[in-house]
Amino acid sequence: MKIAPSILSADFTRLGEQVKQVEEAGADIIHFDIMDGHFVPNISIGLPVIESLRPFTALPIDAHLMISNPERYIDSFARAGADMISVHVEAVVHLHRVVEHIHRLDCKAGVVVNPATSLYVLDEILPYVDYVLVMSVNPGFGGQKFIPTSIDKIRRLKSMITTRQLRVAIEVDGGIDLTTAPLVVEAGADWLVAGSAIFGAESPAQAVKEMRSVLQAIVKE
Ligand code: DX5
Ligand code: ZN
């Protein structure tokens, strides 16, 4: 089970320090939300922020590209230091080509599905990806309410993966906190992205530790 704090909700005046805090508290992945104001109705951060944080953390950098035509930027994100790159199925025509491109750059490749996107679109691409990111809110903003039907969606995706004996991780993103984390993990999620629940907390480090103990309690059950 991996915890991936999303820096979208971090204090950007103290970004390095906050990343260090969650790293020391046991976070597994640093999640970057890249938004272009076109694919999603918001603009966030981009390549220079990944470049500056790359030497600053030993954790894998997960670039969640909420941008149109992501294929144009794959090389740049890999060069900037991303270890994992995910693209939205809704934003890509030649998905297999993009996934192979990400792999050629020695990065883990993920595909992302919006809440209203059916899992059927994953049928053909599933054997080629390292992870599927299930959006449990509509992408674009931190701090939104978890969409409850995501739980059954994760359960169905998990069963697609196990039935076909694939090694594909399930990442979940949006509205993950101490209440929703156990629900998505029980449904089959492997990696949890959390923005406001971690960086919106008084102590991000403490928030990571609390989430870890909630997850450990489920695994032991
Ligand atoms: C939403 C982003 C998320 C966001 C999650 O568009 O993809 O990664 O930061 O934020 P919370 O955890 O606050 O829902
Ligand atoms: Zn994200």
Side-chain angles (χ1 to χ4, degrees), residues 6 31-33 64 66 133 135 173 193:
S6 158
H31 184 86
F32 282 70
D33 287 304
H64 172 195
M66 285 163 275
L133 171 47
M135 288 307 302
D173 185 2
V193 177

Side-chain angles (χ1 to χ4, degrees), residues 50-76:
I50 295 190
E51 269 165 28
S52 3
L53 279 177
R54 178 63 292 172
F56 211 75
T57 175
L59 294 181
I61 288 180
D62 177 20
H64 172 195
L65 305 188
M66 285 163 275
I67 62 177
S68 302
N69 305 117
E71 63 281 358
R72 291 194 199 157
Y73 299 95
I74 303 297
D75 291 292
S76 307

Side-chain angles (χ1 to χ4, degrees), residues 113-117 134-139 144-154 172-176 180 183-184:
V113 281
N114 275 338
T117 300
V134 175
M135 288 307 302
S136 40
V137 298
N138 289 293
Q144 301 181 83
K145 202 172 164 304
F146 180 82
I147 298 174
T149 45
S150 314
I151 295 168
D152 187 56
K153 191 175 191 180
I154 295 162
V172 182
D173 185 2
I176 298 298
T180 52
L183 306 177
V184 297

